């Protein structure tokens, strides 16, 4: 379980500079309290995850593989959706430009016809 | 999809910034996989079922994608923890409602019954507070003092170490252990109350 704790706690998104300032006592009380709350939340996050894994004892490798595959699928889908949306928007923009051009040409022809008649 | 290890040196903030500027989901892929085990573990703790926990983890990350497009997140890990916990609580609440959901029962519930529920809730809260005080008193002195100062009096670790003359690591350890022991004691007391 200590290995698991190490794996789970290897990422920490507190700015290292901020952490250093905190350890040197250079932060204001409010900032220090915020850092401590964050550290405390990280501990809770890791503790709860270990608790869940320890009590349910699943096949971690398979479970993690499944979760990561699902993340891949979800992100690929989002990427595809985004691409399609962009393509759709580009099509709409092209269509709009063509429409404007067509209107200009029609307008030009109509004006020319009027001028001819006049 | 990508060589994830190539970006492991980047911080959460850097990955998020890269995503916000490029909207390329590969940055989220690196970020999410960093925490997939943590999220899965927490889901497992609350939902107590492997399949449900895996599904919940997927849903949580989907929710993250939507939320990240709307808001700027400064501390991803703690934000993710809140989202995970909220999602699990919501699931538990929905399941509870589903299992006890009896429309007729709801329709028959009179105002008096609702009032009684309210009274019971207040009573329950009072009992919980009483239990909390009882359990706090049962903690070892160092844990009791640090927990009280940190959670009830909102003192920082530094202030606590000055007040109690402990070093930073001792304070951190006492608070963590105190919190864990307090939780265990409260659960035990609550079970005892239920049996009574």
């Amino acid at each position: 379980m200590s290995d698991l704790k190490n794996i789970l706690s290897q990422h920490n998104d507190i700015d290292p500079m901020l952490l250093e300032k905190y350890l040197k006592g250079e932060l204001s009380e409010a900032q220090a309290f915020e850092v401590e709350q964050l550290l405390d939340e990280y501990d809770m996050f890791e503790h709860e995850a270990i608790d869940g894994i320890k009590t349910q004892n699943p096949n971690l490798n398979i479970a993690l593989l499944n979760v990561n595959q699902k993340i891949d699928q979800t992100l690929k889908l989002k990427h595809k959706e985004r691409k399609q949306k962009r393509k759709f928007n580009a099509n709409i923009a092209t269509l709009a430009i063509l429409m404007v051009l067509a209107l200009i040409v029609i307008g030009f022809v109509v004006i020319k016809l009027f001028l001819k008649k006049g | 999809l990508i060589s994830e290890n190539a970006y492991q040196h980047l911080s959460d903030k850097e990955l998020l910034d890269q995503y916000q500027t490029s909207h390329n989901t590969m940055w989220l892929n690196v970020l999410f996989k960093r925490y997939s085990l943590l999220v899965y573990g927490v889901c497992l703790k609350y939902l107590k079922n492997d399949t449900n926990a895996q599904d919940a983890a997927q849903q949580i990350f989907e929710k993250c994608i939507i939320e990240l497009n709307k808001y700027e997140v400064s501390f991803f890990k703690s934000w993710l923890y809140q989202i995970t916990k909220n999602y699990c609580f919501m699931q538990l609440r929905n399941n509870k409602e589903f299992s006890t959901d009896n429309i007729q029962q709801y329709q028959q519930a009179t105002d008096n019954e609702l009032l009684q529920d309210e009274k019971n809730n207040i009573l329950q809260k009072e009992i919980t507070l009483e239990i909390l005080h009882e359990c706090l008193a049962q903690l070892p002195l160092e844990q009791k003092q640090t927990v009280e100062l940190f959670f009830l009096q909102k003192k920082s670790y530094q202030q606590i170490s000055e007040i109690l003359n402990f070093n930073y690591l001792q304070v951190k350890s006492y608070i963590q252990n105190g919190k864990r022991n307090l939780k265990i004691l409260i659960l035990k007391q609550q079970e005892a109350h239920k049996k009574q």
Side-chain angles (χ1 to χ4, degrees):
Chain A
M1 277 300 149
S2 64
D3 284 347
L4 190 62
K5 171 85 182 155
N6 288 337
I7 293 167
L8 292 176
S9 58
Q10 63 185 330
H11 290 293
N12 183 337
D13 62 359
I14 300 180
D15 179 6
M17 294 279 281
L18 191 72
L19 209 57
E20 203 183 311
K21 276 186 181 175
Y22 169 73
L23 291 171
K24 284 180 182 170
E26 292 170 0
L27 293 181
S28 68
E29 264 181 34
Q31 285 173 317
F33 189 69
E34 201 178 306
V35 171
E36 282 157 6
Q37 288 281 26
L38 278 172
L39 289 171
D40 202 51
E41 273 195 346
Y42 296 165
D43 278 334
M44 282 294 286
F45 200 178
E46 287 146 21
H47 178 72
E48 290 200 343
I50 291 172
D51 205 21
I53 292 166
K54 224 163 49 174
T55 49
Q56 298 298 314
N57 205 13
N59 188 329
L60 258 194
N61 287 335
I62 294 176
L64 191 61
L65 194 74
N66 286 341
V67 172
N68 284 345
Q69 270 177 354
K70 284 179 179 179
I71 291 175
D72 280 340
Q73 283 169 5
T74 309
L75 289 173
K76 269 184 192 169
L77 199 73
K78 289 283 164 196
H79 185 68
K80 214 173 160 183
E81 274 175 17
R82 202 176 167 76
K83 227 173 159 181
Q84 277 174 346
K85 205 177 166 187
R86 228 181 306 165
K87 208 174 165 184
F88 178 76
N89 286 343
N91 285 343
I92 294 281
T94 314
L95 204 69
I97 290 167
L98 286 175
M99 290 273 280
V100 170
L101 283 174
L103 283 173
I104 290 170
V105 171
I106 291 168
F108 183 72
V109 170
V110 170
I111 290 167
K112 220 174 176 186
L113 277 174
F114 267 113
L115 285 175
K116 247 185 187 177
K117 273 188 179 177
Chain B
L1 193 69
I2 45 161
S3 167
E4 285 149 28
N5 288 335
Y7 301 107
Q8 283 306 325
H9 65 284
L10 294 178
S11 70
D12 293 356
K13 185 95 183 77
E14 285 168 326
L15 288 170
L16 277 176
D17 287 344
Q18 292 283 2
Y19 173 68
Q20 301 290 1
T21 46
S22 68
H23 281 282
N24 188 337
T25 49
M26 80 166 193
W27 302 110
L28 290 185
N29 198 313
V30 180
L31 188 61
F32 287 178
K33 282 182 184 169
R34 226 171 238 191
Y35 298 114
S36 56
L37 186 59
L38 268 175
V39 171
Y40 166 73
V42 174
C43 292
L44 205 56
K45 177 186 160 79
Y46 288 105
L47 306 177
K48 306 205 182 303
N49 176 298
D50 185 31
T51 319
N52 288 352
Q54 287 180 26
D55 289 343
Q58 185 188 14
Q59 298 290 324
I60 288 162
F61 286 119
E62 270 192 49
K63 197 174 158 72
C64 285
I65 301 171
I66 298 166
E67 301 286 309
L68 283 172
N69 286 326
K70 286 192 223 163
Y71 312 108
E72 199 176 310
V73 175
S74 310
F75 297 103
F76 182 75
K77 194 174 178 182
S78 62
W79 178 77
L80 181 63
Y81 178 45
Q82 295 306 328
I83 291 224
T84 306
K85 267 203 325 192
N86 288 344
Y87 182 87
C88 291
F89 290 149
M90 199 69 93
Q91 285 294 106
L92 289 175
R93 201 181 303 156
N94 288 345
N95 288 346
K96 202 176 170 191
E97 271 172 20
F98 183 70
S99 61
T100 56
D101 187 21
N102 188 329
I103 296 164
Q104 277 183 336
Q105 264 182 4
Y106 277 109
Q107 283 173 341
Q108 283 166 5
T110 59
D111 285 349
N112 282 344
E113 282 169 331
L114 290 171
L115 200 67
Q116 192 59 43
D117 279 351
E118 192 61 33
K119 278 182 187 170
N120 286 343
N121 278 342
I122 294 167
L123 195 67
Q124 191 60 44
K125 272 181 192 165
E126 278 174 6
I127 291 170
T128 311
L129 265 175
E130 206 178 297
I131 289 173
L132 180 73
H133 281 290
E134 278 174 27
C135 296
L136 254 176
Q138 287 176 41
L139 284 179
L141 185 65
E142 297 88 353
Q143 292 179 12
K144 179 179 175 275
Q145 287 174 323
T146 48
V147 165
E148 274 180 346
L149 286 169
F150 188 68
F151 290 106
L152 302 181
Q153 295 180 34
K154 300 274 178 208
K155 300 279 184 205
S156 70
Y157 281 18
Q158 241 150 353
Q159 286 172 314
I160 297 171
S161 68
E162 280 163 18
I163 294 168
L164 299 176
N165 238 351
F166 297 140
N167 65 36
Y168 171 81
L169 287 175
Q170 280 176 315
V171 172
K172 194 169 182 250
S173 161
Y174 286 142
I175 290 174
Q176 272 177 29
N177 293 334
K179 201 161 58 176
R180 193 161 44 244
N181 290 338
L182 193 62
K183 200 173 161 188
I184 294 165
L185 284 169
I186 287 172
L187 285 174
K188 272 186 193 166
Q189 287 272 24
Q190 277 177 335
E191 274 173 25
H193 267 270
K194 272 179 199 166
K195 277 176 190 167
Q196 282 172 9

